[in-house]
Amino acid sequence: MLKPISGRHCQAKFFERLAYRSLQTSSVNNLSHQLRIMAEFASSKMASGEAATHSSAPAELTFSAGTLVLTGWTPVAIEKVFPSGVWAWDDRIRGWRTVAAEYSQVSALLKSKSVGTRDLAAHVQSVAWSKITLPELRSEQQAAVAAWHKTKQGLVVMPTGSGKTEVALQIMADQAVSTLIIAPIRDLMYQWHRRILRGLNYDAGILGDSTVNVKPITVTTYESACIHMPVIGNQFGLIVFDECHHLPTPIRSDAARMCIANQRLGLSATPERSDGGHLRLAELIGPEVYRLEIPEIRGKSLADYQVFRIPIYLNDREQHRYDELSAVVRTYFHQRRQDDPTFTWETACAESNTDPESRYAVQAFREKRSIEDRASEKLRVLEDLFRLHQGSPMLIFAGSNSMARAVSTRFLIPCLLNHCGKQERLEYLEGLRDGIFPAIVANQVLDEGVDIPAVKVAVVIGGLTSAKQAKQRLGRILRRTGSHRAVLYEVVCQDTGEVQRSRKRRDSDAFTGTKRKKL
Amino acid sequence: MPDRLTRRRHEHYVGLAEGMLAVYRGGMGQMRECLHREVRSVFASQEDCPGRRIDAFCKLLDESAEYEHVSSSRAAELRIRVFKAAALLHPLVNEADPWFEHEERSAKEKVAAQVQMTWLELESQLFADLMQYHRLQSFDTEVTATDMLARYNVAQVQACLFDAVKMSITARADFKQLLRYAKLAGLMHRIYRVDEGYEIELDGPVSVLQSTHRYGVAMAKFLPGLLACSDWKMKALLKVARWNRHAVLELNSNCGLSSTAAPAARFDSTVEEKFSEKWGTEAREGWTLERESEVLHQGQKVFVPDFTFVHTSGRRVSMEIVGFWTPEYLHDKLITLATFRDQQLILAVQEAHVEQFGEHARRMVTYKSVLKIDAVLSLLRQEVAA
């Protein structure tokens, strides 16, 4: 049986054969000549046998399925010109392969050593803007642009509402090269489309939401970028990762690796990820080149704001059920911990597959969460807040889709969930801005990015422990308009797990000085 | 490893599957959410029932079901109208007072009346386009409990393959079909001759650079095709992120999993079929006939000639029958032949197209409607002499 030959094996075999032809005597000037000889040597030496097609192939660099392919090069030549580990031998195509993101390095080396290899990989175009109508940048935005220009690869970290989009548009205007903008959700993709139309007078292509229209300037989502990058990854010189903390998942980061763009801009208010993924952003996009925190511009570029915490209680019926369920969970855990002091929630979840008793406990725990989330008192508090802020548009953040729909049905206000189509979402967002709708309730759709300029009042009635989510949600109301102060209410169920979750998520500078308010 | 329901250990699942099917068969007009809840209750007292298993069953059941289609744009339109009407009455309060006079219940009836409904009707319509509120319209009556369990087993293996970084298949037959399915799924291959036949290694472009499960979806897509073929062994290397380690999944053609992919047609044309019949299983002048047993490959190009003649001396000569005659087919065939020019290959060409294959004349036998055995044998003699 023939053993499969790995790239490394094959490479080693080549080295053995060609070792005596090493280039030790050659000077750098002579290099390209020598390499050509090497190529000829290889083709004559191996005209018959396995390597025939490899060495007779023309020396070319091409883009293939999100990778770069180099043909017509011998291992010695590769070793001489490129740092080790860049290329891997692919015996299926008898060529060398590397990730597309290596392009800037590879093309620079090919150019400087001028080895006569044709570079057919990139299809990057320059863009001629017909008219640029961008607003004057504020000083911190200018600083961000200048910082990015020093490296042309890097992260700009600025709070929501401080005008990250304008920074990116300015950079796009300066670079005037084909650009791909990747946004986390469809709404944001369309928002980028509108902003590019307004600021750069360019009708950008759209890739995503069942549309495939790729133009020199194109907007897309992380999902679509993953799918299409193997095909379009060689068409853009600049790539903008909006809310780039969404990038570092294994599959999504492929989108960054499969693209040849040597200019990269990452935008985020909260790049940190609890899984440590943000450390990979430096490798995928570039170093952090600029950072601005909320407190630095509070009341200046950002609206001044106040955070209130409104404690509520479960009603008798809810409390009764809650106590029952708590007892189930407590008893179960108590018993299990007596046998095994290290017993954890994860074990219980895993066991719930096979053990009816732990299944019962896990279900009880989930129902507890649902009771906290759906506490009827929250609806009453909302009513009071609606009365209090009659006339100013409001955003309600729910902890679950079903709670969002419950609020929507109770008050007959629009509810923005993932299932809403583009038209419906636009109708609601514009309706809120124009004062047609008094309020919108959402789950996660509005957590980040989507511009809602006029909203100064937000109510959080449920959500995760994540400080990131809390900061993003706060950011929704901080875009400065006039001298209005923004208000964020957090409705928290007392004597339940919600108290602790609330405390955890407010564990950030932005939330210092939170007041307690009774309604 | 994939969850597998077996006749031996999971006999009671036939009854459970019947229970689930009964939920759907008797659940016309019910909402998806309710059906799933009822399916869940079928398992309530079962000791061995991972939640994942129930979810998978619900998905399989939904695949055989048709739900009432609610136009999401119509539902969205209704919502927008209702919310706009209600905006004028905002906020809908529990108890009206001099400042806030729109009491919830009466205000809702008012809004509903504007769309010619009662509030009760409106409430049930408001989010009717959501998946979980769709109502069951019909259910495939053909599905049996055993079908469902079989489909479940295949689906589990497919789900496992999502984590696959590499797949290797050792096959003794159906190479052509295997490679066609692999190509359809968008996978790249390496082919090695091994004692039992061929070993085909499948992964994708990036796989040479890093171990990635990026192509796992393609491998899952390939599975039904594989299951439709015969006489193979498969090994898949899985990268399981949850465990942070690698695992190997092994399957073979006797694994008992069945597929709905179409089984390979025995012959491409009647010319082939008749020739094979006439030749029979006996050796003629020392040559025995094998069908599609040789895989000629160069890089990603693969060519499986229709027949291979194997001589007692061990010599192998392949034969391709040019049986179709669209211009595209002939063009493709010529390109393929140019790529594999150096191989031990003879051609059988229909008389009408002899001209196009002029350059292969030396190694060609022609036929009108039936390919004659004598003509082929004399060409084989020639080949041996050369």
Side-chain angles (χ1 to χ4, degrees):
Chain A
M1 185 183 134
L2 202 73
K3 272 271 163 230
I5 303 166
S6 72
R8 225 166 274 283
H9 254 108
C10 197
Q11 214 170 320
K13 228 158 92 189
F14 270 107
F15 278 123
E16 272 170 40
R17 291 194 193 180
L18 295 173
Y20 69 94
R21 266 279 187 164
S22 79
L23 290 171
Q24 278 164 353
T25 54
S26 72
S27 68
V28 177
N29 291 347
N30 217 1
L31 190 64
S32 72
H33 176 65
Q34 288 278 356
L35 289 174
R36 224 169 290 130
I37 293 175
M38 287 299 299
E40 279 162 22
F41 163 75
S43 61
S44 64
K45 185 86 182 166
M46 292 170 214
S48 60
E50 55 173 301
T53 41
H54 154 59
S55 39
S56 62
E60 268 175 11
L61 179 72
T62 49
F63 177 81
S64 161
T67 64
L68 294 174
V69 168
L70 185 63
T71 50
W73 277 61
T74 61
V76 177
I78 290 275
E79 154 124 302
K80 200 78 195 169
V81 175
F82 299 98
S84 69
V86 172
W87 294 101
W89 174 250
D90 188 344
D91 57 337
R92 300 167 302 181
I93 52 156
R94 308 207 165 261
W96 302 91
R97 225 189 255 276
T98 191
V99 286
E102 295 281 0
Y103 181 70
S104 53
Q105 184 190 356
V106 166
S107 71
L109 284 170
L110 282 183
K111 225 175 261 166
S112 65
K113 314 260 173 173
S114 77
V115 225
T117 298
R118 290 208 299 161
D119 181 351
L120 306 173
H123 290 278
V124 174
Q125 300 176 36
S126 55
V127 179
W129 305 113
S130 57
K131 198 169 109 211
I132 295 175
T133 43
L134 291 173
E136 177 96 10
L137 293 186
R138 289 192 297 268
S139 62
E140 64 269 11
Q141 288 171 316
Q142 281 173 11
V145 172
W148 184 84
H149 271 300
K150 278 185 202 140
T151 54
K152 312 268 191 224
Q153 289 185 348
L155 251 57
V156 169
V157 180
M158 293 169 81
T160 322
S162 61
K164 287 193 293 289
T165 309
E166 281 147 16
V167 169
L169 289 172
Q170 186 59 54
I171 287 172
M172 285 169 66
D174 296 344
Q175 297 309 105
V177 65
S178 48
T179 304
L180 182 71
I181 296 103
I182 311 182
I185 53 172
R186 287 175 301 174
D187 296 72
L188 284 174
M189 173 180 83
Y190 288 115
Q191 185 171 297
W192 274 99
H193 183 271
R194 289 195 296 278
R195 295 291 292 271
I196 292 166
L197 192 59
R198 210 162 62 207
L200 301 171
N201 296 285
Y202 187 101
D203 183 10
I206 288 172
L207 183 62
D209 199 10
S210 17
T211 311
V212 178
N213 175 21
V214 179
K215 291 206 210 167
I217 305 294
T218 294
V219 294
T220 186
T221 60
Y222 282 96
E223 258 71 34
S224 298
C226 279
I227 297 166
H228 296 283
M229 205 57 102
V231 180
I232 61 165
N234 63 337
Q235 299 182 21
F236 302 99
L238 169 63
I239 177 161
V240 178
F241 299 92
D242 189 20
E243 309 288 352
C244 62
H245 47 275
H246 288 281
L247 182 64
T249 69
I251 289 293
R252 282 179 171 191
S253 47
D254 272 0
R257 295 160 57 83
M258 293 188 149
C259 178
I260 64 160
N262 53 8
Q263 302 167 36
R264 292 170 183 235
L265 167 64
L267 300 172
S268 178
T270 50
E272 288 77 16
R273 288 169 63 101
S274 53
D275 64 358
H278 51 281
L279 301 173
R280 296 200 58 212
L281 287 174
E283 167 206 335
L284 295 168
I285 301 173
E288 183 176 306
V289 292
Y290 185 79
R291 181 183 278 264
L292 187 70
E293 293 285 0
I294 292 182
E296 293 177 50
I297 46 168
R298 176 175 183 169
K300 286 182 252 158
S301 302
L302 281 187
D304 194 9
Y305 62 91
Q306 232 176 337
V307 182
F308 292 107
R309 202 160 69 93
I310 304 174
I312 60 147
Y313 295 90
L314 297 175
N315 67 25
D316 289 347
R317 199 169 39 81
E318 289 163 344
Q319 189 70 55
H320 182 67
R321 180 75 185 141
Y322 193 87
D323 293 343
E324 271 177 12
L325 295 165
S326 300
V328 169
V329 176
R330 218 173 24 241
T331 318
Y332 173 74
F333 267 80
H334 181 68
Q335 280 170 358
R336 295 302 303 264
R337 284 235 166 95
Q338 282 198 323
D339 299 338
D340 173 11
T342 61
F343 184 77
T344 62
W345 177 244
E346 281 72 27
T347 332
C349 285
E351 283 184 6
S352 70
N353 289 336
T354 49
D355 173 20
E357 206 179 323
S358 44
R359 194 181 314 153
Y360 188 57
V362 170
Q363 274 165 3
F365 181 81
R366 297 222 171 99
E367 196 181 331
K368 269 177 74 180
R369 281 292 269 273
S370 156
I371 289 176
E372 294 163 6
D373 182 48
R374 304 281 309 262
S376 58
E377 179 82 355
K378 286 182 178 172
L379 292 177
R380 197 191 58 74
V381 168
L382 262 184
E383 184 184 320
D384 290 342
L385 290 173
F386 281 141
R387 286 168 185 253
L388 188 65
H389 291 283
Q390 164 86 317
S392 44
M394 286 170 71
L395 272 183
I396 320 298
F397 293 106
S400 65
N401 287 347
S402 69
M403 184 56 173
R405 276 195 296 277
V407 171
S408 173
T409 315
R410 164 63 184 83
F411 295 100
L412 290 185
I413 57 171
C415 120
L416 230 146
L417 298 178
N418 307 345
H419 76 275
C420 293
K422 174 192 168 199
Q423 208 46 49
E424 191 180 358
R425 291 180 186 206
L426 264 183
E427 186 95 28
Y428 292 156
L429 290 172
E430 284 172 6
L432 184 70
R433 188 192 61 202
D434 301 341
I436 295 170
F437 296 120
I440 286 184
V441 56
N443 180 10
Q444 279 138 15
V445 184
L446 287 186
D447 277 4
E448 58 187 28
V450 181
D451 285 349
I452 317 154
V455 178
K456 283 282 156 283
V457 185
V459 187
V460 174
I461 54 173
L464 308 170
T465 44
S466 131
K468 182 167 86 194
Q469 186 188 48
K471 227 162 140 185
Q472 294 276 12
R473 285 181 161 184
L474 173 64
R476 310 286 71 226
I477 55 170
L478 295 186
R479 209 168 287 275
R480 192 181 167 94
T481 44
S483 57
H484 281 293
R485 195 175 229 217
V487 193
L488 178 83
Y489 295 98
E490 202 190 16
V491 183
V492 182
C493 229
Q494 294 301 291
D495 304 332
T496 71
E498 267 199 352
V499 180
Q500 208 195 343
R501 285 203 294 285
S502 150
R503 206 172 290 140
K504 240 183 171 167
R505 68 179 165 238
R506 281 183 287 104
D507 185 16
S508 149
D509 290 352
F511 287 90
T512 44
T514 297
K515 291 198 175 72
R516 202 180 151 99
K517 187 163 183 159
K518 216 141 183 149
L519 282 177
Chain B
M1 286 301 97
D3 188 27
R4 178 92 186 255
L5 302 175
T6 61
R7 231 170 275 263
R8 207 156 39 81
R9 273 186 306 141
H10 301 95
E11 211 190 341
H12 58 295
Y13 266 74
V14 178
L16 291 167
E18 251 141 32
M20 289 188 271
L21 288 168
V23 167
Y24 270 66
R25 293 214 173 103
M28 294 310 140
Q30 289 227 50
M31 290 194 290
R32 195 190 299 259
E33 198 177 52
C34 303
L35 292 167
H36 288 189
R37 206 177 304 135
E38 276 182 53
V39 166
R40 207 159 277 279
S41 71
V42 169
F43 288 88
S45 58
Q46 287 301 314
E47 296 218 331
D48 170 29
C49 101
R52 272 178 290 127
R53 214 180 261 174
I54 303 176
D55 292 342
F57 279 128
C58 287
K59 230 174 133 207
L60 283 174
L61 286 161
D62 282 345
E63 276 171 19
S64 304
E66 256 182 71
Y67 286 88
E68 193 185 353
H69 177 74
V70 184
S71 149
S72 51
S73 63
R74 284 256 300 281
E77 235 168 75
L78 174 71
R79 282 194 287 270
I80 293 169
R81 268 179 75 191
V82 166
F83 295 145
K84 274 188 179 162
L88 304 173
L89 311 176
H90 184 80
L92 307 186
V93 295
N94 209 3
E95 258 175 73
D97 58 36
W99 297 278
F100 299 96
E101 55 189 2
H102 302 294
E103 187 268 326
E104 183 189 349
R105 221 160 288 164
S106 60
K108 281 179 169 174
E109 286 301 345
K110 228 195 235 165
V111 170
Q114 289 187 35
V115 290
Q116 284 85 44
M117 285 186 219
T118 64
W119 167 244
L120 221 64
E121 286 166 335
L122 178 58
E123 195 177 12
S124 73
Q125 298 276 305
L126 205 53
F127 294 104
D129 57 329
L130 258 72
M131 279 273 272
Q132 65 259 49
Y133 300 146
H134 287 181
R135 286 172 191 284
L136 184 65
Q137 211 164 30
S138 67
F139 186 73
D140 185 351
T141 47
E142 311 265 286
V143 188
T144 65
T146 39
D147 278 351
M148 224 177 88
L149 301 180
R151 275 195 223 171
Y152 172 84
N153 284 337
V154 174
Q156 292 308 302
V157 178
Q158 283 186 294
C160 236
L161 286 176
F162 287 157
D163 291 327
V165 294
K166 184 187 225 162
M167 188 188 251
S168 136
I169 296 152
T170 315
R172 272 195 277 200
D174 288 338
F175 314 116
K176 202 170 177 176
Q177 210 62 17
L178 277 174
L179 288 161
R180 208 172 61 94
Y181 284 126
K183 199 169 177 188
L184 276 177
L187 293 165
M188 290 182 80
H189 60 249
R190 283 189 180 90
I191 302 173
Y192 308 108
R193 177 117 225 179
V194 289
D195 298 340
E196 313 104 287
Y198 286 95
E199 185 184 329
I200 304 169
E201 234 180 64
L202 299 172
D203 54 16
V206 177
S207 310
V208 291
L209 303 170
Q210 72 195 92
S211 128
T212 168
H213 61 267
R214 193 183 167 80
Y215 307 105
V217 178
M219 293 185 206
K221 230 176 11 185
F222 168 72
L223 182 72
L226 176 66
L227 293 175
C229 295
S230 46
D231 215 354
W232 50 263
K233 282 185 286 185
M234 183 275 269
K235 236 190 220 184
L237 180 68
L238 312 177
K239 191 176 176 181
V240 187
R242 295 188 297 287
W243 311 336
N244 195 19
R245 52 183 265 221
H246 285 85
V248 177
L249 173 70
E250 286 186 63
L251 277 185
N252 60 48
S253 43
N254 301 320
C255 62
L257 294 174
S258 57
S259 149
T260 46
R266 275 289 285 147
F267 292 100
D268 287 350
S269 72
T270 52
V271 180
E272 285 171 47
E273 195 171 351
K274 282 191 181 140
F275 181 75
S276 161
E277 245 170 57
K278 270 202 298 181
W279 186 285
T281 51
E282 299 296 301
R284 291 167 183 263
E285 298 185 11
W287 298 95
T288 46
L289 185 68
E290 288 179 359
R291 216 185 81 78
E292 292 184 349
S293 71
E294 190 87 10
V295 180
L296 307 182
H297 54 93
Q298 216 166 77
Q300 292 303 290
K301 286 201 194 70
V302 173
F303 179 39
V304 183
D306 296 323
F307 294 106
T308 300
F309 301 95
V310 183
H311 198 259
T312 43
S313 66
R315 180 143 191 195
R316 300 170 77 90
V317 175
S318 297
M319 177 170 78
E320 174 70 1
I321 298 182
V322 183
F324 292 96
W325 38 268
T326 64
E328 294 81 22
Y329 172 80
L330 290 176
H331 178 74
D332 287 351
K333 196 111 269 183
L334 281 166
I335 290 179
T336 310
L337 290 174
T339 312
F340 296 98
R341 198 182 298 134
D342 302 330
Q343 304 288 338
Q344 280 272 325
L345 182 68
I346 59 175
L347 290 180
V349 183
Q350 212 175 9
E351 262 177 18
H353 305 293
V354 166
E355 270 177 40
Q356 273 123 313
F357 292 85
E359 65 164 311
H360 303 281
R362 244 176 357 91
R363 298 167 138 190
M364 189 164 78
V365 52
T366 59
Y367 69 93
K368 264 202 190 116
S369 59
V370 181
L371 179 58
K372 298 218 168 76
I373 287 180
D374 288 346
V376 174
L377 278 173
S378 78
L379 191 58
L380 284 173
R381 257 176 257 134
Q382 246 183 65
E383 279 291 309
V384 173

